Amino acid sequence: MTKDEVAKLIELVAGRLNAGRGTWLPTPTRPEPPGDPTPGNLPTWAGAAQSLTDIAPLRREAGFPKHRPEYAAIVAASRQAAAARGPSPLPSGSSAGAARTATQRTPREVSIGVSNRHVHLSQRDFEVLFGKGKALSVQRIISQPGQFAAAESVTAVGPKGKLESVRIVGPARGATQLEVSPADCKALGIDAPVSVSGKLEKSAGGVTLEGPAGKVTLSGGVIVAQRHLHVATADGRKLGVADGDKVAIECGPAGRRATLHDVIVRLGPSHKTELHLDLDEANAAGVKTGDKALIVARSGAASAGKKRPLMTERDVAALAARGEKISPRGPYLLTPAARDRAKALGIWTGD
Ligand SMILES: [Zn+2]
């Protein structure tokens, strides 16, 4: 077969294959995208017009994993935090190990109650100040169950000055306790210690209470109440706190935002969940009663026994470098890889 014959044969075959179509090889055509893009707007199929959710739509109904926050929500929260308009979505005050589980959970919100200076009176002192046979009259029920602000008030007189209309909080207690802020201490000219309410071993005296019927000079019982978080028993688990824990809370608007440490947790059936700050603390952070605060870190006696810090391979290597041993009964949890590493390094004291 000559070259010419081959060329003719190719032409013939091509003609047959292509019968009725005009060209031998069809020109590939792109399918038209659906819709008609309006001039000026990017067509819906253009990559630049799409958000992540267009490409991978979120299907909440169809078993959407609850632990994965929506992308849009994360972006919004981060931007808000960057603009200091909202609480940071990130855990703060985090430290590796002990606080890890606490900080990795979502921040927890509690209401703030601001306590102005007030006094709890013993029945004996009340009778001296107001007269025998008198009783406190309820002006307002306050947030903690069973307690009320009385209509009656007293004047507190210190070496330097006095505070008038100091509210009495009822009912009567076993011992008289005057709770003031550091600024009040300055005004009175006393130096009262920060103390947990009810624990008066560490308290100041030298203040005289004056009522309509008489005076009582206190030899003790004047304190600056330690910032504390009342927690109802039912809320303890939700907030991840136990009685006696210390937590750090974040509160306040932009410009005054503050993290307050050493907030002592008082958990029990007689408590309603609320963060109590004195007026100085509240003013410093720019908050008032009813505002919200976030628990951002937790440490403390009560939770320390239950939660052991997690030790990783890297921690093990660091201990080995310091020449320390690791016991299977140590106050930490080891990852399986960390245990293997400890064995390999010869610092594992178990079998
Ligand atoms: Zn309180």
Side-chain angles (χ1 to χ4, degrees):
M1 202 180 273
T2 65
K3 259 188 176 176
D4 281 355
E5 282 170 340
V6 171
K8 228 178 183 122
L9 186 64
I10 290 172
E11 221 168 279
L12 200 76
V13 172
R16 282 287 160 86
L17 281 173
N18 214 23
R21 279 195 232 152
T23 48
W24 182 4
L25 293 171
T27 312
T29 51
R30 230 170 231 255
E32 270 305 308
D36 191 17
T38 12
N41 280 348
L42 283 168
T44 49
W45 44 267
Q50 291 180 341
S51 77
L52 189 62
T53 48
D54 293 331
I55 301 163
L58 298 169
R59 282 160 53 233
R60 275 224 162 278
E61 312 79 48
F64 184 77
K66 283 201 178 87
H67 61 269
R68 203 166 69 197
E70 270 185 82
Y71 176 75
I74 297 174
V75 170
S78 313
R79 284 190 183 149
Q80 250 207 345
R85 269 176 309 189
S88 166
L90 302 171
S92 61
S94 54
S95 64
R100 191 174 287 160
T101 47
T103 53
Q104 277 179 354
R105 287 185 200 149
T106 46
R108 289 155 289 203
E109 200 175 65
V110 290
S111 277
I112 299 172
V114 181
S115 310
N116 201 350
R117 64 184 80 105
H118 62 273
V119 63
H120 303 274
L121 293 174
S122 67
Q123 187 59 34
R124 209 178 61 92
D125 288 347
F126 173 75
E127 285 176 1
V128 173
L129 293 165
F130 291 90
K132 264 213 172 313
K134 291 270 167 51
L136 285 169
S137 45
V138 179
Q139 169 157 314
R140 190 166 54 82
I141 297 294
I142 58 177
S143 61
Q144 294 310 308
Q147 299 201 22
F148 62 91
E152 294 81 4
S153 65
V154 294
T155 300
V157 185
K160 263 197 191 157
K162 62 180 181 179
L163 301 168
E164 291 187 12
S165 309
V166 177
R167 179 74 61 212
I168 299 169
V169 171
R173 285 200 185 178
T176 293
Q177 175 178 310
L178 175 64
E179 294 180 39
V180 290
S181 74
D184 294 333
C185 288
K186 283 226 162 59
L188 289 169
I190 57 161
D191 190 14
V194 174
S195 193
V196 176
S197 176
K199 287 191 180 158
L200 301 178
E201 302 86 55
K202 251 177 54 183
S203 65
V207 175
T208 300
L209 301 178
E210 296 179 355
K215 293 180 186 183
V216 173
T217 298
L218 303 175
S219 56
V222 185
I223 61 165
V224 173
Q226 167 149 20
R227 51 181 77 140
H228 55 278
L229 176 64
H230 294 278
V231 180
T233 312
D235 290 340
R237 179 177 273 269
K238 191 186 79 187
L239 295 171
V241 295
D243 191 46
D245 273 1
K246 276 185 180 173
V247 295
I249 62 102
E250 207 177 293
C251 62
R256 298 294 274 181
R257 190 152 200 82
T259 302
L260 303 176
H261 298 269
D262 299 337
V263 179
I264 196 138
V265 173
R266 304 178 65 195
L267 182 145
S270 64
H271 295 278
K272 186 194 157 213
T273 302
E274 195 173 52
L275 172 71
H276 280 182
L277 302 176
D278 75 21
L279 203 53
D280 288 8
E281 292 168 324
N283 286 340
V287 295
K288 56 186 187 310
T289 294
D291 286 356
K292 300 289 179 200
L294 292 172
I295 299 173
V296 292
R298 179 193 63 178
S299 65
S303 54
K306 294 173 209 149
K307 300 277 173 192
R308 296 188 291 169
L310 193 68
M311 195 174 284
T312 63
E313 273 186 272
R314 186 180 294 196
D315 300 327
V316 168
L319 282 180
R322 293 206 300 268
E324 288 176 40
K325 301 274 183 200
I326 292 174
S327 158
R329 282 175 298 279
Y332 34 70
L333 292 169
L334 283 154
T335 63
R339 187 180 301 119
D340 290 348
R341 188 73 183 275
K343 284 178 185 171
L345 290 166
I347 60 166
W348 179 251
T349 60
D351 45 30

